[in-house]
């Protein structure tokens, strides 16, 4: 009789089942002596415990914006984790090119900021709040604003009285502000 296993998703490398193990998550074809796959994801990433649901999403989307990581120095940080074609999980905090100055846009816990904000030679104040009108911006929203100048769809936002309105988010003409369009 086969042992019962908890399957959290499918392996993007080989299509096999990804199962929960004592240390994390592993492709069934990456188990045992004759393994043909190498997908093995540690449950603890950047001192943050991944949930089963997050692993399921990562296996499908391959790329996720997450908060709550902690550096060796004990500082909390946010980043984008990427499941690579070789099965490794990499952190990629740079999410786009700054539309104002061409610098790197990096994710932080409250905003997507231009990395030239403190560069005296080429100072740039461009940033996108991660929460606009109660809408939590997705990675795709932020990338579309930077790359296309506007989100592809209207996002749902909320007024103080709780009423809902929908607008697209885009760049102001000087490419320094995010405006509701
Ligand atoms: Zn696999
Ligand atoms: Zn910039």
């Amino acid at each position: 009789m086969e042992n019962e296993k908890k399957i959290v998703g499918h392996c993007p490398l080989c299509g096999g089942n990804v199962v929960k193990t004592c240390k994390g998550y592993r492709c069934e074809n990456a188990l045992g002596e004759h393994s043909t796959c190498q997908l093995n994801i540690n449950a603890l990433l950047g001192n943050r415990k991944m949930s089963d649901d997050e692993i399921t999403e990562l296996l499908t989307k391959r790329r996720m914006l997450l908060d709550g990581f902690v550096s060796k120095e004990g500082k909390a940080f946010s980043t984008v984790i990427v499941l690579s074609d070789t099965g490794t999980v990499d952190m990629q905090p740079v999410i786009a090119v700054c539309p104002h100055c061409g610098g790197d846009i990096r994710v932080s816990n409250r905003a997507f900021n231009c990395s030239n904000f403190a560069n005296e030679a080429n100072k740039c104040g461009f940033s996108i709040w991660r929460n606009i009108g109660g809408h939590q911006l997705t990675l795709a929203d932020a990338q579309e604003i930077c790359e296309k100048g506007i989100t592809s769809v209207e996002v749902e936002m909320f007024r103080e009285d709780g009423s809902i309105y929908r607008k697209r988010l885009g760049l102001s003409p000087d490419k320094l502000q995010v405006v509701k369009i």
Side-chain angles (χ1 to χ4, degrees):
M1 215 181 106
E2 255 199 87
N3 291 326
E4 189 189 356
K5 288 178 179 173
K6 175 154 189 176
I7 296 166
V8 294
H10 292 288
C11 174
L13 277 58
C14 77
N17 289 326
V18 176
V19 296
K20 183 170 178 150
T21 69
C22 55
K23 289 180 185 153
Y25 305 86
R26 191 181 267 248
C27 174
E28 276 198 311
N29 296 325
L31 296 163
E33 285 174 45
H34 306 290
S35 62
T36 54
C37 187
Q38 52 195 356
L39 185 92
N40 186 13
I41 303 171
N42 200 312
L44 204 62
L45 275 171
N47 295 308
R48 178 190 187 282
K49 173 107 167 42
M50 295 288 289
S51 72
D52 295 356
D53 288 345
E54 287 169 346
I55 295 291
T56 300
E57 197 177 332
L58 180 65
L59 290 170
T60 317
K61 292 189 182 164
R62 305 284 295 272
R63 181 177 291 270
M64 280 171 92
L65 168 58
L66 289 172
D67 301 302
F69 297 97
V70 182
S71 71
K72 287 193 190 85
E73 294 78 31
K75 274 187 75 179
F77 67 99
S78 306
T79 194
V80 174
I81 58 166
V82 178
L83 180 57
S84 77
D85 290 336
T86 55
T88 58
V89 179
D90 307 315
M91 291 187 177
Q92 292 184 0
V94 176
I95 63 123
V97 171
C98 175
H100 188 73
C101 77
D104 291 337
I105 298 290
R106 303 176 78 93
V107 62
S108 78
N109 62 340
R110 293 185 65 195
F112 302 94
N113 298 308
C114 179
S115 53
N116 283 326
F117 71 93
N119 178 351
E120 287 306 328
N122 184 25
K123 210 176 174 71
C124 177
F126 181 78
S127 73
I128 305 170
W129 292 110
R130 284 181 58 189
N131 184 319
I132 298 177
H135 171 68
Q136 196 69 22
L137 270 75
T138 64
L139 192 54
D141 290 338
Q143 287 174 329
E144 284 172 357
I145 293 168
C146 292
E147 288 161 14
K148 297 176 187 154
I150 192 162
T151 56
S152 55
V153 291
E154 291 183 336
V155 302
E156 192 172 83
M157 291 175 283
F158 304 85
R159 295 191 188 89
E160 278 198 46
D161 67 0
S163 59
I164 294 172
Y165 63 105
R166 294 177 184 84
K167 284 192 177 286
R168 299 210 280 176
L169 298 173
L171 292 172
S172 61
D174 63 2
K175 296 184 178 174
L176 265 179
Q177 313 279 336
V178 174
V179 290
K180 298 164 188 172
I181 297 169

